[in-house]
Amino acid sequence: MTKHLTVVDHPLVQHKLSLMREVETPTAVFRQLLREISMLLAYEVTRELPMTTHEIQTPLEKMDAPTLDGRKLALISILRAGNGLLDGVLELIPLARVGFVGLYRDEETLQPVQYYFKVPGQLDERLVIAVDPMLATGNSSVAAIDLLKGAGAKNIRFLCLLAAPEGVARMKEAHPDVPIVTASLDSHLNDQGYIVPGLGDAGDRMFGTK
Ligand code: URA
């Protein structure tokens, strides 16, 4: 992947995203839409996935058939909202290894604080896809990528649902080698660090907390 930012403007993605943004959309519907949209985004972020071949028998003859080398892929959920994106991607690529980075945002400083880190081994040999629905200030995304690189990851992509220009710029400055795939580049961040127009707090909306 060569582009730093890819906005997936497929009509199905855009339609589902609009439904998710609506303040009246209930939690269960929000979660279902997120699962569906994450599968569509996974299609884009997994272009150029490592492939292997398996010998299979068709009704006519044997062939070396191309198959995904799923063991070479690591999906990393940035907790807790990342889990919503993770589910859909994992449904498409069940062989992928999965890791978790726990970061919460200090609401005063907006800085990320780490509370959990558990990732698959041999990260240096894997394509690592970090998932977090909201790329807002970029602080927690940059911190998560820092941790993944510290654990050996060399080939990383970042998958999110919404991105703010501020977060994209921060990621580009800190990690220009990490391509970002998103469903929308929104207008800006507000004073509380929320993406505008956005969809509110992604974690609260998917888990029904407030
Ligand atoms: N995190 C969210 O959940 N929403 C935002 O708008 C920004 C960060």
Side-chain angles (χ1 to χ4, degrees), residues 106-123:
D106 185 302
E107 292 302 333
E108 271 174 25
T109 63
L110 302 183
Q111 293 303 310
V113 183
Q114 182 195 331
Y115 64 90
Y116 192 72
F117 188 76
K118 182 86 179 168
V119 295
Q122 293 119 35
L123 270 198

Side-chain angles (χ1 to χ4, degrees), residues 80-81 105 107 132-137 140 162 164 186 188-190 192-206:
R80 73 180 158 149
R105 187 165 65 152
E107 292 302 333
D132 189 354
M134 311 300 269
L135 176 54
T137 60
S140 56
L162 296 187
D186 272 16
H188 63 280
L189 292 179
N190 71 11
Q192 286 83 45
Y194 280 91
I195 298 176
V196 180
L199 50 73
D201 187 297
D204 283 346
R205 296 214 50 199
M206 77 181 70

